Amino acid sequence: MEPGGLEWLLVPMQQLVSWGAAGAMVFGGVVPYIPQYRDIRRTQNAEGFSTYVCLVLLVANILRILFWFGRRFESPLLWQSIIMIITMLLMLKLCTEVRVSNELNVKRRSFAAADSKDEEIKAPPKRSYLDFDLNYFWHWSKFTDYVQCVLTFTGVTGYITYLWLDSSLFVETLGFLAVFTEAMLGVPQLYRNCQNRSTEGMSIKMVLMWTSGDTFKTVYFILNQAPFQFSICGLLQVFVDIAILLQVYLYSHYPQKPVSHTAHPASTKAL
């Protein structure tokens, strides 16, 4: 059979592989959050998931979308950011509803200050983001407060990006900040493991999912010649995942002296 006779089969297969890789890139990042979402709904307990994960991923993906306006990259990467933002908002909505329903001593905390005297009389004094009290930042009582915060951040950064869109230095820095923020998502877990000298309570299967997902993502960046920021920070993310896996091995085979610490979520990156 002539070499050209297989083209009718190879071309469609290559196209299918390309579509499959793009689909995995778009939806693969949200897969780890599906079982966590279902578990929270089933148990009505959101203590095992840190909403700061949502904050980091929202910031990272909003910046990545803004970066796209300055330097167009692969469409699947753009859609990945959109899907991830929607997923994180859904996670925030569920976690907020569950947390508030489980609070015995309800204290209204909001993104915007109260502007109604009647409301202040009927309810306890509100905590406001505008008070710059970091103890209550990103720990509000209504999902709409998170939406307001996200929209405010998007509006401010979008306006700044519009003003500086012609600056290549600004655009490249924006892209770096976007992927670097996401790459640092596993560092708090790495640091916490070092402090506790243990990986107890952390899902090893989840770390393996991070590693495989981040590896696939980095290879995708390199093969599709994505902006260099994506490849560099993707490699950094894989190194962090591998470091956490090394902690699992070391602390399981060479147990350290236990350190007293308060209970903490099973993961600060994803569950």
Side-chain angles (χ1 to χ4, degrees), residues 20 42 47 68-69 74 89 106 118 121 124 134-136 162 164 168-169 178 181 191 204 209 243 245 247 251 254 266:
R42 179 177 58 84
E47 294 300 321
W68 182 85
F69 287 98
E74 288 283 318
L89 289 176
V106 179
D118 293 336
I121 293 175
L134 294 180
N135 294 324
Y136 294 97
Y162 174 77
W164 290 86
S168 59
L169 177 61
T181 300
Y191 177 72
I204 299 177
M209 290 180 66
L245 287 175
Q247 287 180 325
Y251 293 144
Y254 306 97

Side-chain angles (χ1 to χ4, degrees), residues 67-212:
F67 176 54
W68 182 85
F69 287 98
R71 183 176 176 185
R72 302 299 171 89
F73 47 79
E74 288 283 318
S75 296
L77 301 182
L78 176 64
W79 282 106
Q80 180 200 40
S81 292
I82 295 173
I83 297 297
M84 183 61 75
I85 288 174
I86 295 173
T87 302
M88 290 301 101
L89 289 176
L90 290 175
M91 288 295 297
L92 274 175
K93 186 175 186 299
L94 177 64
C95 291
T96 304
E97 291 174 350
V98 170
R99 187 182 70 246
V100 172
S101 65
N102 291 336
E103 285 181 350
L104 298 178
N105 184 19
V106 179
K107 188 172 186 178
R108 178 77 169 91
R109 298 164 184 160
S110 63
F111 171 74
D115 56 1
S116 170
K117 294 182 179 180
D118 293 336
E119 186 178 1
E120 290 179 354
I121 293 175
K122 295 177 181 178
K126 291 185 177 183
R127 290 282 182 177
S128 169
Y129 165 77
L130 302 177
D131 294 334
F132 294 102
D133 188 343
L134 294 180
N135 294 324
Y136 294 97
F137 178 78
W138 206 251
H139 195 72
W140 303 307
S141 304
K142 284 188 177 181
F143 173 65
T144 53
D145 294 313
Y146 293 96
V147 174
Q148 290 174 15
C149 180
V150 171
L151 290 178
T152 300
F153 175 79
T154 304
V156 172
T157 53
Y159 180 68
I160 295 174
T161 301
Y162 174 77
L163 294 178
W164 290 86
L165 201 57
D166 294 332
S167 171
S168 59
L169 177 61
F170 173 82
V171 171
E172 296 300 328
T173 302
L174 183 65
F176 176 77
L177 289 176
V179 290
F180 183 76
T181 300
E182 185 175 356
M184 291 293 100
L185 198 58
V187 172
Q189 185 68 59
L190 184 70
Y191 177 72
R192 179 174 289 170
N193 293 343
C194 288
Q195 276 191 318
N196 299 334
R197 301 177 187 176
S198 170
T199 56
E200 183 181 357
M202 187 185 69
S203 171
I204 299 177
K205 291 181 179 179
M206 185 57 56
V207 179
L208 291 173
M209 290 180 66
W210 300 344
T211 308
S212 58

